Amino acid sequence: MNWQELAEKMVQTQIAARGITDERVLEAMRRVPRHLFVPEPHRNEAYADYPLPIGHGQTISQPFIVALMCSLLGLQGDEKVLEVGTGSGYQAAVLAHLAREVHTIERIPALAEQAAQRLAELGLENVHVHIGDGSLGLPKEAPFEGILIAAAAPRVPQPLLEQLNEGGRLVAPVGSRGWQVLERWTRRGNSWERETYDSVAFVPLIGEHGWEG
Ligand code: SAM
């Protein structure tokens, strides 16, 4: 099978089959060559139904979780979005097909640099990679219509809630270092509505409003 066939099979059997119906998300997942974001020796497992190591003790998330988090943001295409935890750059590439402008921030410089190179090679000019502590958000680019935290937080960082604009949504795994629940927070003026979804297991968010390193 070529990679497009593997991506199509992944979308049908892992994502649509589990109830993701947002056609824009399904199409974005078909279009991004996931194998280019997975280093050897795991590249031949790139379209499998689990997370994979990307070096530096970090992971690229399971395809279904990437799709679920993107669909919870409910993007229409004209949004400015922040991702915390660039990792391989894969989820940022998916978001690039769903939003107008994507900012993604990673604390490990080597991962950020590799991701930026991959995203540039794919011609995804609406993604901007930053290096730093994303638990503080990205005040110089705020506000955002969507924020996605791709690392486990003990609680949702207050600076990130404040960088949402009215009606904006934040999706994050929140809980202990071992397991978390996906939460979606929606801004309504100066209060935030919280909904809970699936159980997940992410690597920790390390930083001022996350866990200690
Ligand atoms: N979205 C990524 C992808 O598509 O490959 C997967 C992200 S991986 C599960 C979590 C990432 O969050 C790791 O690369 C880790 O270094 C990063 N991270 C952890 N704490 C962070 C922080 N405070 N700011 C920015 N990145 C952070």
Side-chain angles (χ1 to χ4, degrees), residues 149-208:
I149 309 181
R155 69 198 70 79
V156 172
Q158 190 63 29
L160 289 171
L161 289 174
E162 281 164 13
Q163 288 171 33
L164 281 178
N165 63 7
E166 176 61 26
R169 291 170 166 178
L170 176 152
V171 175
V174 181
S176 68
R177 280 182 92 123
W179 78 274
Q180 310 88 35
V181 170
L182 274 186
E183 294 188 353
R184 177 168 70 183
W185 293 63
T186 305
R187 183 164 197 169
R188 307 264 180 239
N190 274 335
S191 59
W192 288 264
E193 185 184 300
R194 172 177 163 272
E195 299 159 282
T196 57
Y197 295 90
D198 301 36
S199 294
V200 288
F202 272 79
V203 294
L205 179 77
I206 309 282
E208 199 169 319

Side-chain angles (χ1 to χ4, degrees), residues 35-39 43 54 87-90 111 113-124:
H35 60 286
L36 299 183
F37 294 84
V38 175
R43 189 160 284 175
I54 55 169
S88 68
Y90 174 70
L111 287 177
E113 283 154 20
Q114 273 174 18
Q117 191 180 335
R118 288 181 184 124
L119 293 161
E121 281 166 10
L122 289 173
L124 297 172

Side-chain angles (χ1 to χ4, degrees), residues 76-150:
Q76 301 297 314
D78 196 34
E79 298 86 354
K80 184 174 184 181
V81 170
L82 173 67
E83 180 198 30
V84 176
T86 312
S88 68
Y90 174 70
Q91 184 136 25
V94 174
L95 287 168
H97 292 291
L98 297 171
R100 173 174 48 86
E101 186 177 331
V102 180
H103 292 268
T104 180
I105 180 163
E106 170 58 53
R107 64 181 284 273
I108 300 176
L111 287 177
E113 283 154 20
Q114 273 174 18
Q117 191 180 335
R118 288 181 184 124
L119 293 161
E121 281 166 10
L122 289 173
L124 297 172
E125 289 172 4
N126 61 336
V127 187
H128 309 277
V129 180
H130 306 259
I131 298 172
D133 177 5
S135 77
L136 298 165
L138 201 55
K140 67 175 189 226
E141 292 293 344
F144 302 98
E145 280 88 29
I147 298 180
L148 191 157
I149 309 181

